[in-house]
Amino acid sequence: MSKTTLARNTRPGGRSWPLLIAALIISGGSAKTSTIIMLAVTLALRGWKVRVFDFDHQRSASHIACAMDELPAGQGTVYDLMHGADLEECSVPYRYVVKAARPDPNDPEQMLPAEYEEIDNLQIVPGSRAVKNFDTENTQAGNEMLINWFRELCEEYEGDDDVWLLDLPASLSKLAVSVLAPFQEDDEVIPPVLVTSKEETDLKATFEELAEMRQAQNGRSRRKRTGPSIRHIVMCGTPTPGRPDSEGDLTVESMTAKLGNDFQLHKVRWSSHIRQQHRRQAPVHSFGPRNAAPIEDYNKLATALGFVDRNPGA
């Protein structure tokens, strides 16, 4: 049996917390959120229990997952989680819009609320603009403990999630470092790279900064070592016959020549469906054809990561 058909071990080493997968590249406007959303929905539909953490202050993942609209007053966010709030109280079901808010036909001056559908096996911890304050808080006297908050959350976890997917900001800030600190050998950092020369260069910077982060963190503690590493790279927006792009072709060729022997490279074809996720507040799976390129390509990525379909034929 090939490695790609073996079910992924979601408790490597017998630890208590789930597998950790982070989307990270030191580049703004990349496809990090799209990759997290598509992978999260793909894994959930395959029967894996998934939780998404939105660490980006722009909160794009939360917007697509309708985790900013009509939530209960006082709903916890990832910022509250950082400061000791309960994980379950800071999580909400992942949902998507099936019918947008619209005028009431019986009373045009009134609006009917949007209607939502939830996705089984999938939750999200909503993002918060306040995460921008984390680095400042962490440098204040008496708050150095904040750097260990995510490691402590992992070590204290007793639930049955299979994987946590982490949408990180486009920098290795202290917030990102705190989230990557509990990563072990089996956990993964997956850079989504738009196929441009700029993002190929940004990927190189990401390799370098991750190596510096590992060296700095492991120099402080020999007992609790951190190991965020890259084994898979997603090349997003790759050209198609219907949408040729010479820059994209050149970037794919260059990345394949430089990285193809050391990393698994995955092509995600350019698709207008991906661009619609934010506006529709829904994943491609809910509005695109079942053979839409993003669905096919992220299914291939899920299989390569070892997340076999637990619901074949469903």
Side-chain angles (χ1 to χ4, degrees), residues 52-95:
V52 172
F53 292 73
D54 186 357
F55 289 110
D56 194 333
H57 73 274
Q58 296 182 13
R59 303 180 295 167
S60 294
S62 299
H63 177 75
I64 298 173
C66 304
M68 290 163 46
D69 304 332
E70 300 179 20
L71 292 178
Q75 169 62 48
T77 68
V78 72
Y79 186 72
D80 300 304
L81 190 64
M82 293 172 184
H83 293 79
D86 179 76
L87 174 60
E88 297 304 325
E89 293 178 358
C90 293
S91 301
V92 295
Y94 185 109
R95 60 183 185 167

Side-chain angles (χ1 to χ4, degrees), residues 146-165:
L146 280 178
I147 202 70
N148 294 315
W149 79 272
F150 194 61
R151 185 191 293 277
E152 293 169 358
L153 176 70
C154 289
E155 293 175 346
E156 295 169 3
Y157 182 72
E158 298 178 346
D160 61 353
D161 288 354
D162 292 308
V163 58
W164 289 351
L165 296 178

Side-chain angles (χ1 to χ4, degrees), residues 20-183:
L20 305 175
I21 297 179
L24 171 69
I25 182 172
I26 311 302
S27 180
S30 186
K32 295 184 293 296
T33 297
S34 295
T35 293
I36 286 293
I37 292 297
M38 287 298 297
L39 192 55
V41 175
T42 299
L43 298 188
L45 293 177
R46 288 187 172 201
W48 299 83
K49 192 168 182 181
V50 182
R51 196 181 310 249
V52 172
F53 292 73
D54 186 357
F55 289 110
D56 194 333
H57 73 274
Q58 296 182 13
R59 303 180 295 167
S60 294
S62 299
H63 177 75
I64 298 173
C66 304
M68 290 163 46
D69 304 332
E70 300 179 20
L71 292 178
Q75 169 62 48
T77 68
V78 72
Y79 186 72
D80 300 304
L81 190 64
M82 293 172 184
H83 293 79
D86 179 76
L87 174 60
E88 297 304 325
E89 293 178 358
C90 293
S91 301
V92 295
Y94 185 109
R95 60 183 185 167
Y96 59 91
V97 172
V98 293
K99 189 175 288 187
R102 60 214 178 277
D104 186 336
N106 298 318
D107 185 357
E109 294 186 0
Q110 300 295 320
M111 294 291 291
L112 294 174
E115 297 178 16
Y116 303 94
E117 187 79 28
E118 293 183 3
I119 296 179
D120 292 340
N121 304 315
L122 183 53
Q123 297 186 82
I124 182 169
V125 181
S128 169
R129 290 196 180 95
V131 296
K132 293 187 293 185
N133 301 328
F134 182 88
D135 282 17
T136 301
E137 292 177 4
N138 195 65
T139 58
Q140 293 174 349
N143 279 335
E144 285 296 328
M145 60 180 293
L146 280 178
I147 202 70
N148 294 315
W149 79 272
F150 194 61
R151 185 191 293 277
E152 293 169 358
L153 176 70
C154 289
E155 293 175 346
E156 295 169 3
Y157 182 72
E158 298 178 346
D160 61 353
D161 288 354
D162 292 308
V163 58
W164 289 351
L165 296 178
L166 319 173
D167 190 12
L168 293 177
S171 69
L172 270 177
S173 61
K174 290 181 179 178
L175 167 58
V177 169
S178 75
V179 173
L180 294 172
F183 272 54

